[in-house]
Amino acid sequence: ECIAIDSSEAMLSIVRKRFEDKADRLKTMHADFFDDKIDTEFDIITTFRYIRHFEYAKRKQLYDKLKQNLKQNGLLIFDVPNINFEIKQKLEHGWGSYNIYDVFWQKDDFIDEMNRNGLEVKYIIPVGQGLATHTTSDYKLEPMTWTVAVSRR
């Protein structure tokens, strides 16, 4: 059973359409995670290309709410942009085409942020390492992001 939560009804509509053959196992909830209280505890929460868009004060709020919604031993799975890849990529291709706020981490800084916020890193999986073959820069050997799984302490 899966519950898709989003503040955009349009996105929820896309999810319902994409998984209409599994409608008996998919529920949707129109909610803003910052403003609405979600009383359910989950075994797994996934959120990709989301946490990275907030400054630390908002991420701290988000971590607190996510911990409340995770069952004991539950996992929060999300993506963490690698600063060593992202900054060099943006310098090489120009910052002008990146008009959205993103935070990037070094692996140790990310682990520290999780620890400060009562989360324990269980897995860190490099993603996209060596895929930036269009360039001769050394950063192409870095993972673009990591997919991580963390749990409540």
Side-chain angles (χ1 to χ4, degrees):
E1 184 175 299
C2 179
I3 301 173
I5 302 170
D6 203 296
S7 62
S8 165
E9 186 55 49
M11 288 303 292
L12 291 172
S13 179
I14 291 169
V15 169
R16 285 189 292 269
K17 183 173 173 73
R18 184 175 292 165
F19 297 101
E20 63 190 348
D21 61 327
K22 296 172 180 58
D24 58 326
R25 295 183 300 176
L26 173 67
K27 297 177 184 171
T28 58
M29 181 185 299
H30 186 239
D32 182 305
F33 205 73
F34 283 105
D35 296 331
D36 298 317
K37 179 151 176 57
I38 298 167
D39 292 323
T40 308
E41 283 191 332
F42 301 97
D43 295 305
I44 297 173
I45 298 173
T46 62
T47 178
F48 285 82
R49 303 188 70 78
Y50 182 69
I51 293 173
R52 65 171 62 191
H53 295 307
F54 299 101
E55 294 181 14
Y56 182 69
K58 283 289 205 185
R59 288 196 313 274
K60 190 168 179 46
Q61 289 177 5
L62 195 52
Y63 298 145
D64 287 342
K65 289 191 104 175
L66 288 163
K67 285 188 303 190
Q68 291 172 12
N69 290 114
L70 267 182
K71 288 183 180 178
Q72 192 65 39
N73 300 318
L75 292 176
L76 167 62
I77 301 172
F78 61 105
D79 61 322
V80 176
N82 177 358
I83 195 170
N84 296 328
F85 179 87
E86 292 288 346
I87 295 295
K88 291 177 182 174
Q89 174 89 355
K90 286 167 179 45
L91 288 172
E92 187 170 310
H93 298 285
W95 284 85
S97 57
Y98 303 96
N99 59 359
I100 192 165
Y101 177 83
D102 275 325
V103 65
F104 314 122
W105 287 271
Q106 291 196 355
K107 190 191 285 188
D108 290 343
D109 293 334
F110 165 74
I111 293 169
D112 287 344
E113 184 167 313
M114 295 299 98
N115 288 333
R116 283 192 318 272
N117 286 281
L119 293 161
E120 180 180 354
V121 176
K122 299 292 189 177
Y123 305 100
I124 299 179
I125 302 166
V127 176
Q129 193 166 8
L131 289 181
T133 58
H134 62 280
T135 179
T136 58
S137 300
D138 62 342
Y139 76 86
K140 73 180 183 178
L141 301 176
E142 291 275 345
M144 295 175 182
T145 64
W146 295 281
T147 296
V148 301
V150 301
S151 64
R152 297 186 312 183
R153 285 199 175 275

